[in-house]
Amino acid sequence: MARPLKEVLEDPDVYQDLLANPSTFRYSLVTPEDQAWGRKLPDGNWTGMVGQVFRQEADIALGPFAQSVERRQAVDYTQSFFFDGRTIIAGKGRPEIDPWSFMLPLQPPVWVALLVGLVVAWLSLVVMGHNPKGSSQLTSASHFMRASHLLFQHLRIILRQDVSMNMTRGREMVLMGGWVVVSVVVTCSYSGTLVSLLAVRHVPQPLQTIRDMLDATHITVVLEGVNTIVPVTLTKIKTGELKELNDLKYSGRIKIRSVVEAGLYPYWLDKSLPVYHNCRHSPSKITVREPLALDSFWGMLVVLIAGHLVALLVFCLELNAGSN
């Protein structure tokens, strides 16, 4: 049964068969001297493949061609057979270690819940305590000393230090025991997660949008050659980020190069073919096995040194207050 003409024309296998059979379809390939897609010259002529079709030196030009108003006035387009999204390519940074990764095992809500639990447990023991009989001044001083001592005991537990607190009341021992259980579970989970995080390296990817590229004043932008549609389109945009991108050429931050001429396209092609099975989007985090270096935990050392300095300052203030 004969197929409808429209169905035949829309079948890509028909064109494939025609091109593969030289007895039914003969053609010759003509390459433009400038090996360009084509742009309009001031005299109205065109360069590249568009120019060949425009001057009827070729019947058709194989795309994909980006469409523009000027090109549509010079040549006819077929229906679009795919849409290409324009993206920015940028070099990835080297794998880095986050020196503040010791804060990452616990999310902020967990830190807040731990602090709230510390305050609640401490206040519960303070409220359960009783004031000794005697003068009001002695009572207030004793109550304050007991509350301070209890607070430090809770902090010692969460830091996995020994506890030197004598409690005779059962309810106080139950509350302190509950805090010990919570502290042990949290600290064990923290230490296990921290070991895993120290083996993670972060690959920085600071450039994700056009705005990121515009704000990075140290970045030099390389565009396609002048015979392509991208630089021509950028010159016609009057507002927005794309206009700012085109204006970078006035500050020396933009260079127009031919991707093929610079050798980038063959280089990318050669590098991509051996690893065609790899994922297109490489991961931004990798894991490594290597001894820990100072770069891995200098953030913890900063906290440690700062804590010792504060303790030394408090100690000096206490000595000064005692001497007076």
Side-chain angles (χ1 to χ4, degrees), residues 209-212 214 237 239-246:
T209 63
I210 295 180
R211 175 50 56 189
D212 295 336
L214 294 173
I237 298 177
T239 58
E241 294 179 345
L242 293 179
K243 181 183 182 303
E244 296 182 43
L245 176 61
N246 182 65

Side-chain angles (χ1 to χ4, degrees), residues 29-138:
L29 297 178
V30 182
T31 304
E33 295 182 359
D34 55 2
Q35 297 185 356
W37 298 99
R39 66 184 179 92
K40 189 176 183 179
L41 298 175
D43 59 359
N45 202 350
W46 285 81
T47 65
M49 290 185 288
V50 176
Q52 289 181 312
V53 177
F54 176 75
R55 294 186 297 271
Q56 298 184 355
E57 297 174 0
D59 297 316
I60 60 174
L62 300 180
F65 281 92
Q67 299 188 31
S68 67
V69 175
E70 292 179 336
R71 284 184 176 180
R72 294 190 70 89
Q73 293 174 349
V75 296
D76 292 329
Y77 281 86
T78 64
Q79 294 183 356
S80 298
F81 50 87
F82 83 96
F83 294 91
D84 185 19
R86 297 288 177 173
T87 59
I88 303 171
I89 60 172
K92 289 187 176 181
R94 296 182 177 180
E96 298 177 354
I97 303 174
D98 188 357
W100 303 100
S101 58
F102 66 93
M103 298 292 294
L104 300 179
L106 302 180
Q107 294 185 354
V110 179
W111 286 107
V112 173
L114 188 62
L115 178 61
V116 172
L118 170 64
V119 174
V120 171
W122 169 62
L123 288 179
S124 299
L125 289 178
V126 171
V127 172
M128 289 182 180
H130 65 282
N131 295 331
K133 296 180 180 180
S135 63
S136 58
Q137 182 178 1
L138 180 61

Side-chain angles (χ1 to χ4, degrees), residues 302-321:
V302 170
V303 175
L304 178 62
I305 295 174
H308 281 291
L309 291 177
V310 173
L312 178 61
L313 177 61
V314 174
F315 179 70
C316 294
L317 293 176
E318 290 178 349
L319 290 179
N320 186 37

Side-chain angles (χ1 to χ4, degrees), residues 13-27:
D13 295 334
V14 173
Y15 298 100
Q16 183 177 358
D17 295 338
L18 289 175
L19 293 176
N21 189 355
S23 63
T24 59
F25 189 86
R26 296 182 180 275
Y27 62 92

Side-chain angles (χ1 to χ4, degrees), residues 149-184:
H149 190 61
L150 286 173
L151 177 60
F152 280 105
Q153 293 306 313
H154 283 74
L155 291 175
R156 290 170 68 88
I157 292 174
I158 195 64
L159 296 177
R160 306 183 74 170
Q161 299 178 354
D162 61 322
V163 181
S164 58
M165 183 67 183
N166 295 325
M167 296 183 181
T168 58
R169 296 185 177 184
R171 57 176 180 265
E172 293 181 349
M173 297 177 63
V174 171
L175 284 175
M176 183 62 74
W179 175 248
V180 170
V181 172
V182 172
S183 301
V184 170

